[in-house]
Short mmCIF file of all heavy atoms in Angstrom, two decimals:
data_model
loop_
_atom_site.label_atom_id
_atom_site.label_comp_id
_atom_site.label_asym_id
_atom_site.label_seq_id
_atom_site.Cartn_x
_atom_site.Cartn_y
_atom_site.Cartn_z
N VAL A 213 -28.17 -25.23 -2.47
CA VAL A 213 -28.15 -23.90 -3.09
C VAL A 213 -26.72 -23.60 -3.53
O VAL A 213 -25.79 -23.71 -2.73
CB VAL A 213 -28.63 -22.82 -2.10
CG1 VAL A 213 -28.44 -21.42 -2.68
CG2 VAL A 213 -30.09 -23.05 -1.75
N PRO A 214 -26.51 -23.24 -4.79
CA PRO A 214 -25.15 -22.88 -5.24
C PRO A 214 -24.59 -21.73 -4.40
O PRO A 214 -25.33 -20.82 -4.00
CB PRO A 214 -25.36 -22.46 -6.70
CG PRO A 214 -26.63 -23.14 -7.11
CD PRO A 214 -27.50 -23.18 -5.89
N SER A 215 -23.31 -21.78 -4.15
CA SER A 215 -22.70 -20.79 -3.25
C SER A 215 -22.81 -19.37 -3.77
O SER A 215 -22.82 -18.42 -2.98
CB SER A 215 -21.23 -21.14 -3.02
OG SER A 215 -20.52 -21.15 -4.25
N ASP A 216 -22.90 -19.18 -5.09
CA ASP A 216 -22.99 -17.81 -5.62
C ASP A 216 -24.41 -17.27 -5.64
O ASP A 216 -24.65 -16.17 -6.13
CB ASP A 216 -22.39 -17.75 -7.03
CG ASP A 216 -23.16 -18.61 -8.02
OD1 ASP A 216 -23.93 -19.49 -7.56
OD2 ASP A 216 -23.00 -18.42 -9.24
N LYS A 217 -25.36 -18.03 -5.10
CA LYS A 217 -26.75 -17.58 -5.08
C LYS A 217 -27.17 -17.02 -3.72
O LYS A 217 -28.31 -16.60 -3.55
CB LYS A 217 -27.69 -18.73 -5.47
CG LYS A 217 -27.48 -19.21 -6.90
CD LYS A 217 -27.57 -18.06 -7.90
CE LYS A 217 -27.25 -18.49 -9.32
NZ LYS A 217 -27.25 -17.34 -10.25
N ILE A 218 -26.26 -17.04 -2.77
CA ILE A 218 -26.50 -16.40 -1.48
C ILE A 218 -25.38 -15.38 -1.25
O ILE A 218 -24.20 -15.71 -1.36
CB ILE A 218 -26.53 -17.41 -0.32
CG1 ILE A 218 -27.75 -18.31 -0.43
CG2 ILE A 218 -26.53 -16.69 1.03
CD1 ILE A 218 -29.09 -17.61 -0.23
N GLU A 219 -25.77 -14.16 -0.98
CA GLU A 219 -24.80 -13.11 -0.69
C GLU A 219 -24.98 -12.67 0.76
O GLU A 219 -26.11 -12.50 1.23
CB GLU A 219 -25.00 -11.90 -1.61
CG GLU A 219 -24.04 -10.75 -1.34
CD GLU A 219 -24.32 -9.55 -2.23
OE1 GLU A 219 -25.40 -8.94 -2.05
OE2 GLU A 219 -23.49 -9.21 -3.09
N LEU A 220 -23.87 -12.49 1.47
CA LEU A 220 -23.91 -12.05 2.85
C LEU A 220 -23.62 -10.56 2.91
O LEU A 220 -22.67 -10.08 2.28
CB LEU A 220 -22.89 -12.82 3.68
CG LEU A 220 -23.04 -14.35 3.67
CD1 LEU A 220 -21.93 -14.99 4.49
CD2 LEU A 220 -24.41 -14.78 4.18
N GLU A 221 -24.42 -9.82 3.67
CA GLU A 221 -24.23 -8.38 3.83
C GLU A 221 -23.76 -8.10 5.25
O GLU A 221 -24.43 -8.47 6.22
CB GLU A 221 -25.53 -7.62 3.56
CG GLU A 221 -26.01 -7.72 2.12
CD GLU A 221 -27.21 -6.83 1.85
OE1 GLU A 221 -27.60 -6.07 2.77
OE2 GLU A 221 -27.76 -6.88 0.74
N ILE A 222 -22.61 -7.46 5.36
CA ILE A 222 -22.08 -7.08 6.67
C ILE A 222 -21.91 -5.58 6.73
O ILE A 222 -21.69 -4.93 5.71
CB ILE A 222 -20.73 -7.78 6.96
CG1 ILE A 222 -19.67 -7.34 5.95
CG2 ILE A 222 -20.89 -9.28 6.96
CD1 ILE A 222 -18.30 -7.89 6.25
N THR A 223 -22.03 -5.03 7.91
CA THR A 223 -21.87 -3.59 8.07
C THR A 223 -20.39 -3.25 8.22
O THR A 223 -19.56 -4.11 8.49
CB THR A 223 -22.62 -3.08 9.33
OG1 THR A 223 -22.06 -3.73 10.48
CG2 THR A 223 -24.10 -3.40 9.22
N GLU A 224 -20.07 -1.95 8.06
CA GLU A 224 -18.68 -1.51 8.19
C GLU A 224 -18.14 -1.78 9.59
O GLU A 224 -16.95 -2.03 9.76
CB GLU A 224 -18.59 -0.02 7.89
CG GLU A 224 -18.87 0.32 6.45
CD GLU A 224 -18.66 1.79 6.17
OE1 GLU A 224 -17.65 2.35 6.59
OE2 GLU A 224 -19.52 2.37 5.51
N SER A 225 -19.02 -1.76 10.60
CA SER A 225 -18.56 -1.99 11.97
C SER A 225 -18.01 -3.39 12.13
O SER A 225 -17.10 -3.63 12.92
CB SER A 225 -19.70 -1.74 12.96
OG SER A 225 -20.78 -2.62 12.68
N VAL A 226 -18.56 -4.34 11.40
CA VAL A 226 -18.04 -5.71 11.46
C VAL A 226 -16.61 -5.75 10.94
O VAL A 226 -15.73 -6.41 11.51
CB VAL A 226 -18.93 -6.66 10.62
CG1 VAL A 226 -18.31 -8.05 10.57
CG2 VAL A 226 -20.32 -6.73 11.21
N VAL A 227 -16.36 -4.99 9.87
CA VAL A 227 -15.03 -4.98 9.26
C VAL A 227 -13.99 -4.48 10.25
O VAL A 227 -12.88 -4.98 10.33
CB VAL A 227 -15.03 -4.11 7.99
CG1 VAL A 227 -13.63 -4.04 7.40
CG2 VAL A 227 -16.03 -4.66 6.99
N MET A 228 -14.37 -3.46 11.03
CA MET A 228 -13.42 -2.83 11.93
C MET A 228 -13.30 -3.55 13.27
O MET A 228 -12.48 -3.19 14.09
CB MET A 228 -13.84 -1.38 12.17
CG MET A 228 -13.83 -0.51 10.92
SD MET A 228 -12.19 -0.43 10.17
CE MET A 228 -11.32 0.51 11.41
N ASP A 229 -14.14 -4.58 13.50
CA ASP A 229 -14.13 -5.28 14.77
C ASP A 229 -13.28 -6.54 14.63
O ASP A 229 -13.66 -7.48 13.94
CB ASP A 229 -15.58 -5.61 15.18
CG ASP A 229 -15.66 -6.11 16.61
OD1 ASP A 229 -14.64 -6.06 17.33
OD2 ASP A 229 -16.74 -6.57 16.99
N GLU A 230 -12.12 -6.56 15.29
CA GLU A 230 -11.22 -7.71 15.24
C GLU A 230 -10.87 -8.04 13.79
O GLU A 230 -11.30 -9.05 13.22
CB GLU A 230 -11.85 -8.91 15.94
CG GLU A 230 -12.13 -8.66 17.41
CD GLU A 230 -12.69 -9.88 18.12
OE1 GLU A 230 -12.71 -10.96 17.50
OE2 GLU A 230 -13.10 -9.76 19.28
N VAL A 231 -10.07 -7.17 13.19
CA VAL A 231 -9.78 -7.22 11.76
C VAL A 231 -9.18 -8.55 11.33
O VAL A 231 -9.53 -9.09 10.28
CB VAL A 231 -8.86 -6.05 11.37
CG1 VAL A 231 -8.46 -6.14 9.90
CG2 VAL A 231 -9.54 -4.73 11.67
N GLU A 232 -8.28 -9.07 12.12
CA GLU A 232 -7.63 -10.33 11.74
C GLU A 232 -8.65 -11.45 11.61
O GLU A 232 -8.62 -12.23 10.66
CB GLU A 232 -6.56 -10.69 12.76
CG GLU A 232 -5.36 -9.74 12.74
CD GLU A 232 -4.26 -10.18 13.69
OE1 GLU A 232 -4.42 -11.26 14.32
OE2 GLU A 232 -3.26 -9.47 13.79
N GLN A 233 -9.54 -11.53 12.58
CA GLN A 233 -10.56 -12.58 12.53
C GLN A 233 -11.50 -12.36 11.35
O GLN A 233 -11.88 -13.31 10.66
CB GLN A 233 -11.35 -12.61 13.83
CG GLN A 233 -12.44 -13.69 13.85
CD GLN A 233 -13.21 -13.71 15.16
OE1 GLN A 233 -12.72 -13.26 16.17
NE2 GLN A 233 -14.43 -14.22 15.11
N VAL A 234 -11.87 -11.09 11.12
CA VAL A 234 -12.75 -10.76 9.99
C VAL A 234 -12.08 -11.18 8.68
O VAL A 234 -12.72 -11.75 7.79
CB VAL A 234 -13.08 -9.26 9.98
CG1 VAL A 234 -13.74 -8.86 8.66
CG2 VAL A 234 -14.00 -8.90 11.14
N THR A 235 -10.80 -10.88 8.55
CA THR A 235 -10.08 -11.23 7.33
C THR A 235 -10.08 -12.74 7.11
O THR A 235 -10.32 -13.23 5.99
CB THR A 235 -8.63 -10.72 7.41
OG1 THR A 235 -8.65 -9.30 7.62
CG2 THR A 235 -7.88 -11.02 6.12
N ARG A 236 -9.84 -13.49 8.17
CA ARG A 236 -9.84 -14.95 8.04
C ARG A 236 -11.21 -15.45 7.62
O ARG A 236 -11.32 -16.32 6.73
CB ARG A 236 -9.44 -15.59 9.38
CG ARG A 236 -7.96 -15.45 9.71
CD ARG A 236 -7.57 -16.41 10.83
NE ARG A 236 -8.32 -16.13 12.06
CZ ARG A 236 -7.92 -15.29 13.01
NH1 ARG A 236 -6.77 -14.64 12.86
NH2 ARG A 236 -8.64 -15.10 14.09
N THR A 237 -12.26 -14.91 8.25
CA THR A 237 -13.61 -15.37 7.92
C THR A 237 -13.96 -15.03 6.48
O THR A 237 -14.54 -15.85 5.75
CB THR A 237 -14.63 -14.73 8.88
OG1 THR A 237 -14.30 -15.08 10.23
CG2 THR A 237 -16.04 -15.19 8.57
N LEU A 238 -13.60 -13.80 6.04
CA LEU A 238 -13.90 -13.41 4.66
C LEU A 238 -13.18 -14.30 3.66
O LEU A 238 -13.76 -14.73 2.65
CB LEU A 238 -13.51 -11.95 4.44
CG LEU A 238 -14.42 -10.89 5.07
CD1 LEU A 238 -13.82 -9.50 4.92
CD2 LEU A 238 -15.81 -10.92 4.43
N ASN A 239 -11.92 -14.55 3.91
CA ASN A 239 -11.17 -15.41 3.00
C ASN A 239 -11.74 -16.82 2.96
O ASN A 239 -11.78 -17.47 1.89
CB ASN A 239 -9.69 -15.46 3.41
CG ASN A 239 -8.97 -14.16 3.08
OD1 ASN A 239 -9.27 -13.51 2.09
ND2 ASN A 239 -8.01 -13.79 3.92
N GLU A 240 -12.20 -17.29 4.10
CA GLU A 240 -12.79 -18.63 4.14
C GLU A 240 -14.11 -18.66 3.37
O GLU A 240 -14.39 -19.62 2.64
CB GLU A 240 -13.01 -19.05 5.60
CG GLU A 240 -13.32 -20.54 5.76
CD GLU A 240 -13.36 -20.97 7.22
OE1 GLU A 240 -13.08 -20.11 8.09
OE2 GLU A 240 -13.68 -22.13 7.48
N LEU A 241 -14.91 -17.60 3.52
CA LEU A 241 -16.16 -17.52 2.75
C LEU A 241 -15.88 -17.50 1.26
O LEU A 241 -16.58 -18.15 0.47
CB LEU A 241 -16.95 -16.26 3.16
CG LEU A 241 -17.61 -16.30 4.54
CD1 LEU A 241 -18.12 -14.91 4.94
CD2 LEU A 241 -18.78 -17.29 4.55
N LYS A 242 -14.85 -16.73 0.86
CA LYS A 242 -14.50 -16.66 -0.55
C LYS A 242 -14.03 -18.02 -1.07
O LYS A 242 -14.28 -18.38 -2.23
CB LYS A 242 -13.42 -15.62 -0.78
CG LYS A 242 -13.88 -14.19 -0.52
CD LYS A 242 -15.08 -13.81 -1.38
CE LYS A 242 -14.77 -13.83 -2.84
NZ LYS A 242 -15.95 -13.45 -3.66
N SER A 243 -13.37 -18.78 -0.20
CA SER A 243 -12.91 -20.11 -0.62
C SER A 243 -14.09 -21.03 -0.92
O SER A 243 -13.97 -21.97 -1.71
CB SER A 243 -12.02 -20.73 0.46
OG SER A 243 -12.79 -21.10 1.60
N TYR A 244 -15.22 -20.75 -0.31
CA TYR A 244 -16.45 -21.50 -0.58
C TYR A 244 -17.24 -20.91 -1.74
O TYR A 244 -18.30 -21.43 -2.11
CB TYR A 244 -17.34 -21.55 0.65
CG TYR A 244 -16.81 -22.37 1.81
CD1 TYR A 244 -16.61 -21.80 3.05
CD2 TYR A 244 -16.51 -23.72 1.65
CE1 TYR A 244 -16.12 -22.54 4.12
CE2 TYR A 244 -16.02 -24.47 2.71
CZ TYR A 244 -15.82 -23.88 3.93
OH TYR A 244 -15.34 -24.62 4.99
N GLY A 245 -16.77 -19.77 -2.30
CA GLY A 245 -17.47 -19.14 -3.42
C GLY A 245 -18.64 -18.28 -3.03
O GLY A 245 -19.53 -18.02 -3.84
N ILE A 246 -18.67 -17.82 -1.78
CA ILE A 246 -19.80 -17.03 -1.27
C ILE A 246 -19.48 -15.54 -1.38
O ILE A 246 -18.42 -15.10 -0.95
CB ILE A 246 -20.10 -17.40 0.19
CG1 ILE A 246 -20.46 -18.89 0.29
CG2 ILE A 246 -21.22 -16.53 0.76
CD1 ILE A 246 -20.50 -19.41 1.71
N ASP A 247 -20.38 -14.79 -1.99
CA ASP A 247 -20.18 -13.35 -2.15
C ASP A 247 -20.45 -12.63 -0.83
O ASP A 247 -21.32 -13.04 -0.04
CB ASP A 247 -21.13 -12.78 -3.22
CG ASP A 247 -20.72 -13.22 -4.61
OD1 ASP A 247 -19.59 -13.74 -4.76
OD2 ASP A 247 -21.52 -13.04 -5.55
N VAL A 248 -19.71 -11.51 -0.63
CA VAL A 248 -19.90 -10.69 0.57
C VAL A 248 -20.00 -9.23 0.14
O VAL A 248 -19.20 -8.75 -0.66
CB VAL A 248 -18.73 -10.85 1.56
CG1 VAL A 248 -18.96 -9.97 2.79
CG2 VAL A 248 -18.59 -12.31 1.98
#
């Protein structure tokens, strides 16, 4: 499945929980071309 054909939905609480880790995970997902 092309990476731009799956989008991940996260709640605002995820963003505020361990921000540094969330930032790393988001950047890694973007490096794979996955929308969030």
